[in-house]
mmCIF file of all heavy atoms in Angstrom:
data_model
loop_
_atom_site.group_PDB
_atom_site.id
_atom_site.type_symbol
_atom_site.label_atom_id
_atom_site.label_comp_id
_atom_site.label_asym_id
_atom_site.label_seq_id
_atom_site.Cartn_x
_atom_site.Cartn_y
_atom_site.Cartn_z
ATOM 1 N N THR Q 79 101.484 142.287 186.794
ATOM 2 C CA THR Q 79 102.140 141.284 186.091
ATOM 3 C C THR Q 79 101.014 140.246 185.693
ATOM 4 O O THR Q 79 100.317 139.655 186.577
ATOM 5 C CB THR Q 79 103.220 140.657 187.020
ATOM 6 O OG1 THR Q 79 104.114 141.667 187.368
ATOM 7 C CG2 THR Q 79 103.932 139.512 186.181
ATOM 8 N N ALA Q 151 120.305 132.060 176.663
ATOM 9 C CA ALA Q 151 120.919 130.818 177.100
ATOM 10 C C ALA Q 151 120.200 130.080 178.106
ATOM 11 O O ALA Q 151 119.556 130.767 178.972
ATOM 12 C CB ALA Q 151 122.337 131.116 177.548
ATOM 13 N N VAL Q 152 120.401 128.806 178.092
ATOM 14 C CA VAL Q 152 119.703 127.919 179.135
ATOM 15 C C VAL Q 152 120.581 128.137 180.302
ATOM 16 O O VAL Q 152 121.838 127.781 180.378
ATOM 17 C CB VAL Q 152 119.509 126.561 178.761
ATOM 18 C CG1 VAL Q 152 118.930 125.664 179.762
ATOM 19 C CG2 VAL Q 152 118.680 126.488 177.537
ATOM 20 N N CYS Q 160 117.262 108.745 176.751
ATOM 21 C CA CYS Q 160 116.658 108.072 175.513
ATOM 22 C C CYS Q 160 116.963 106.632 175.590
ATOM 23 O O CYS Q 160 117.994 106.012 176.009
ATOM 24 C CB CYS Q 160 117.444 108.615 174.203
ATOM 25 S SG CYS Q 160 117.177 110.466 174.037
ATOM 26 N N LEU Q 203 109.588 114.331 164.674
ATOM 27 C CA LEU Q 203 109.772 114.563 166.026
ATOM 28 C C LEU Q 203 108.273 114.769 166.549
ATOM 29 O O LEU Q 203 107.377 115.288 165.934
ATOM 30 C CB LEU Q 203 110.550 115.832 166.440
ATOM 31 C CG LEU Q 203 110.537 116.279 167.834
ATOM 32 C CD1 LEU Q 203 111.339 115.226 168.673
ATOM 33 C CD2 LEU Q 203 111.225 117.656 168.039
ATOM 34 N N ILE Q 221 122.452 114.654 153.897
ATOM 35 C CA ILE Q 221 123.348 113.537 154.129
ATOM 36 C C ILE Q 221 124.425 113.506 152.940
ATOM 37 O O ILE Q 221 124.036 113.456 151.779
ATOM 38 C CB ILE Q 221 122.628 112.188 154.160
ATOM 39 C CG1 ILE Q 221 121.725 112.127 155.282
ATOM 40 C CG2 ILE Q 221 123.709 111.079 154.195
ATOM 41 C CD1 ILE Q 221 120.728 110.877 155.368
ATOM 42 N N THR Q 232 134.254 90.327 149.360
ATOM 43 C CA THR Q 232 134.158 89.003 149.935
ATOM 44 C C THR Q 232 135.495 88.365 150.009
ATOM 45 O O THR Q 232 136.345 88.610 149.082
ATOM 46 C CB THR Q 232 133.284 88.116 148.978
ATOM 47 O OG1 THR Q 232 133.823 88.117 147.733
ATOM 48 C CG2 THR Q 232 131.862 88.549 149.004
ATOM 49 N N LEU Q 237 141.737 79.662 149.813
ATOM 50 C CA LEU Q 237 142.695 80.028 148.806
ATOM 51 C C LEU Q 237 143.875 78.895 149.041
ATOM 52 O O LEU Q 237 144.413 78.749 150.023
ATOM 53 C CB LEU Q 237 143.349 81.338 149.114
ATOM 54 C CG LEU Q 237 144.309 81.791 148.108
ATOM 55 C CD1 LEU Q 237 143.926 81.825 146.761
ATOM 56 C CD2 LEU Q 237 144.890 83.233 148.479
ATOM 57 N N ALA Q 304 131.293 101.066 142.233
ATOM 58 C CA ALA Q 304 131.678 100.239 141.082
ATOM 59 C C ALA Q 304 132.649 99.076 141.494
ATOM 60 O O ALA Q 304 133.534 99.309 142.420
ATOM 61 C CB ALA Q 304 132.492 101.145 140.077
ATOM 62 N N GLY Q 404 142.027 44.458 140.005
ATOM 63 C CA GLY Q 404 141.400 45.448 140.652
ATOM 64 C C GLY Q 404 141.136 46.792 139.731
ATOM 65 O O GLY Q 404 140.682 47.792 140.395
ATOM 66 N N HIS Q 419 140.644 53.400 137.367
ATOM 67 C CA HIS Q 419 140.560 53.117 138.999
ATOM 68 C C HIS Q 419 140.017 54.407 139.635
ATOM 69 O O HIS Q 419 140.087 55.347 139.051
ATOM 70 C CB HIS Q 419 142.062 52.788 139.450
ATOM 71 C CG HIS Q 419 142.041 52.108 140.835
ATOM 72 N ND1 HIS Q 419 141.992 52.946 141.904
ATOM 73 C CD2 HIS Q 419 141.997 50.826 141.135
ATOM 74 C CE1 HIS Q 419 141.962 52.040 142.897
ATOM 75 N NE2 HIS Q 419 141.990 50.804 142.549
ATOM 76 N N LEU Q 515 161.457 6.070 108.553
ATOM 77 C CA LEU Q 515 161.863 4.629 108.832
ATOM 78 C C LEU Q 515 163.163 4.496 107.957
ATOM 79 O O LEU Q 515 163.454 4.988 106.836
ATOM 80 C CB LEU Q 515 160.761 3.667 108.139
ATOM 81 C CG LEU Q 515 159.303 4.047 108.593
ATOM 82 C CD1 LEU Q 515 158.346 3.159 107.916
ATOM 83 C CD2 LEU Q 515 159.204 3.909 110.108
ATOM 84 N N LEU Q 614 194.942 -17.948 104.115
ATOM 85 C CA LEU Q 614 195.811 -18.405 105.086
ATOM 86 C C LEU Q 614 196.138 -19.828 105.075
ATOM 87 O O LEU Q 614 197.137 -20.303 105.651
ATOM 88 C CB LEU Q 614 195.192 -18.080 106.511
ATOM 89 C CG LEU Q 614 195.142 -16.496 106.803
ATOM 90 C CD1 LEU Q 614 194.296 -16.235 108.123
ATOM 91 C CD2 LEU Q 614 196.410 -15.878 107.011
ATOM 92 N N ASP Q 668 193.785 -0.472 98.443
ATOM 93 C CA ASP Q 668 193.915 0.778 97.599
ATOM 94 C C ASP Q 668 192.799 1.718 98.088
ATOM 95 O O ASP Q 668 191.512 1.375 97.754
ATOM 96 C CB ASP Q 668 193.815 0.441 96.064
ATOM 97 C CG ASP Q 668 195.054 -0.414 95.722
ATOM 98 O OD1 ASP Q 668 196.186 -0.184 96.211
ATOM 99 O OD2 ASP Q 668 194.964 -1.090 94.673
ATOM 100 N N TRP Q 682 187.653 -12.791 109.223
ATOM 101 C CA TRP Q 682 188.341 -13.964 108.977
ATOM 102 C C TRP Q 682 187.627 -15.280 109.197
ATOM 103 O O TRP Q 682 186.639 -15.190 109.992
ATOM 104 C CB TRP Q 682 189.699 -13.988 109.806
ATOM 105 C CG TRP Q 682 189.525 -14.124 111.374
ATOM 106 C CD1 TRP Q 682 189.612 -15.171 112.058
ATOM 107 C CD2 TRP Q 682 189.224 -13.042 112.291
ATOM 108 N NE1 TRP Q 682 189.423 -14.924 113.372
ATOM 109 C CE2 TRP Q 682 189.177 -13.627 113.529
ATOM 110 C CE3 TRP Q 682 189.028 -11.644 112.131
ATOM 111 C CZ2 TRP Q 682 188.807 -12.830 114.708
ATOM 112 C CZ3 TRP Q 682 188.842 -10.897 113.208
ATOM 113 C CH2 TRP Q 682 188.699 -11.435 114.423
ATOM 114 N N SER Q 780 183.075 12.506 94.566
ATOM 115 C CA SER Q 780 182.549 12.520 93.187
ATOM 116 C C SER Q 780 181.104 11.937 93.109
ATOM 117 O O SER Q 780 180.586 11.934 91.978
ATOM 118 C CB SER Q 780 183.499 11.743 92.350
ATOM 119 O OG SER Q 780 183.540 10.371 92.651
ATOM 120 N N VAL Q 785 176.177 3.693 101.056
ATOM 121 C CA VAL Q 785 176.910 2.375 101.319
ATOM 122 C C VAL Q 785 176.293 1.660 102.463
ATOM 123 O O VAL Q 785 176.120 2.259 103.679
ATOM 124 C CB VAL Q 785 178.375 2.523 101.477
ATOM 125 C CG1 VAL Q 785 179.052 1.156 101.762
ATOM 126 C CG2 VAL Q 785 178.991 2.975 100.085
ATOM 127 N N ALA Q 791 176.339 -15.040 108.246
ATOM 128 C CA ALA Q 791 176.709 -16.322 107.670
ATOM 129 C C ALA Q 791 175.557 -16.994 106.923
ATOM 130 O O ALA Q 791 174.641 -17.527 107.556
ATOM 131 C CB ALA Q 791 177.290 -17.302 108.820
ATOM 132 N N TRP Q 793 174.758 -19.905 104.469
ATOM 133 C CA TRP Q 793 175.430 -21.233 103.946
ATOM 134 C C TRP Q 793 174.698 -21.454 102.462
ATOM 135 O O TRP Q 793 173.398 -21.584 102.503
ATOM 136 C CB TRP Q 793 175.285 -22.319 104.942
ATOM 137 C CG TRP Q 793 175.750 -23.540 104.307
ATOM 138 C CD1 TRP Q 793 175.012 -24.467 103.924
ATOM 139 C CD2 TRP Q 793 177.062 -23.855 103.981
ATOM 140 N NE1 TRP Q 793 175.848 -25.650 103.405
ATOM 141 C CE2 TRP Q 793 177.114 -25.203 103.535
ATOM 142 C CE3 TRP Q 793 178.397 -23.213 104.138
ATOM 143 C CZ2 TRP Q 793 178.306 -25.839 102.954
ATOM 144 C CZ3 TRP Q 793 179.500 -23.845 103.648
ATOM 145 C CH2 TRP Q 793 179.424 -25.214 103.133
ATOM 146 N N VAL Q 827 181.484 -24.727 88.133
ATOM 147 C CA VAL Q 827 180.579 -23.730 87.656
ATOM 148 C C VAL Q 827 179.265 -23.953 88.074
ATOM 149 O O VAL Q 827 178.882 -25.049 88.532
ATOM 150 C CB VAL Q 827 180.759 -23.739 86.094
ATOM 151 C CG1 VAL Q 827 182.179 -23.239 85.810
ATOM 152 C CG2 VAL Q 827 180.455 -25.029 85.484
ATOM 153 N N ARG Q 830 175.819 -19.044 90.859
ATOM 154 C CA ARG Q 830 175.473 -17.693 90.469
ATOM 155 C C ARG Q 830 174.902 -16.914 91.584
ATOM 156 O O ARG Q 830 174.433 -17.397 92.470
ATOM 157 C CB ARG Q 830 174.370 -17.762 89.352
ATOM 158 C CG ARG Q 830 174.917 -18.536 88.090
ATOM 159 C CD ARG Q 830 174.022 -18.373 86.840
ATOM 160 N NE ARG Q 830 172.600 -18.842 87.034
ATOM 161 C CZ ARG Q 830 171.596 -18.567 86.290
ATOM 162 N NH1 ARG Q 830 171.756 -17.932 85.144
ATOM 163 N NH2 ARG Q 830 170.394 -19.085 86.641
ATOM 164 N N ILE Q 840 177.495 -10.055 87.350
ATOM 165 C CA ILE Q 840 178.772 -10.511 86.750
ATOM 166 C C ILE Q 840 179.853 -10.003 87.738
ATOM 167 O O ILE Q 840 179.971 -8.886 88.149
ATOM 168 C CB ILE Q 840 178.981 -9.581 85.382
ATOM 169 C CG1 ILE Q 840 177.754 -9.935 84.349
ATOM 170 C CG2 ILE Q 840 180.344 -9.963 84.750
ATOM 171 C CD1 ILE Q 840 177.922 -9.017 83.152
ATOM 172 N N ASP Q 845 191.714 -9.310 87.831
ATOM 173 C CA ASP Q 845 192.395 -8.195 86.848
ATOM 174 C C ASP Q 845 191.551 -7.107 86.507
ATOM 175 O O ASP Q 845 191.849 -6.187 85.761
ATOM 176 C CB ASP Q 845 192.896 -8.898 85.653
ATOM 177 C CG ASP Q 845 191.862 -9.512 84.753
ATOM 178 O OD1 ASP Q 845 190.650 -9.514 85.295
ATOM 179 O OD2 ASP Q 845 192.118 -10.138 83.661
ATOM 180 N N THR Q 848 185.218 -7.942 83.559
ATOM 181 C CA THR Q 848 183.975 -8.506 83.797
ATOM 182 C C THR Q 848 183.613 -9.305 82.716
ATOM 183 O O THR Q 848 182.481 -8.954 81.852
ATOM 184 C CB THR Q 848 183.066 -7.359 84.143
ATOM 185 O OG1 THR Q 848 183.106 -6.441 82.995
ATOM 186 C CG2 THR Q 848 183.453 -6.590 85.383
ATOM 187 N N ASP Q 858 184.361 -17.726 92.651
ATOM 188 C CA ASP Q 858 185.416 -18.442 92.049
ATOM 189 C C ASP Q 858 186.720 -18.320 92.717
ATOM 190 O O ASP Q 858 187.651 -18.367 92.091
ATOM 191 C CB ASP Q 858 185.500 -18.139 90.541
ATOM 192 C CG ASP Q 858 185.823 -16.589 90.478
ATOM 193 O OD1 ASP Q 858 185.756 -15.863 91.411
ATOM 194 O OD2 ASP Q 858 186.121 -16.097 89.365
#
Side-chain angles (χ1 to χ4, degrees):
T79 301
V152 177
C160 299
L203 178 65
I221 299 177
T232 57
L237 180 59
H419 195 276
L515 312 180
L614 289 169
D668 292 328
W682 65 98
S780 66
V785 171
W793 177 252
V827 295
R830 300 192 301 171
I840 303 174
D845 59 1
T848 55
D858 62 352

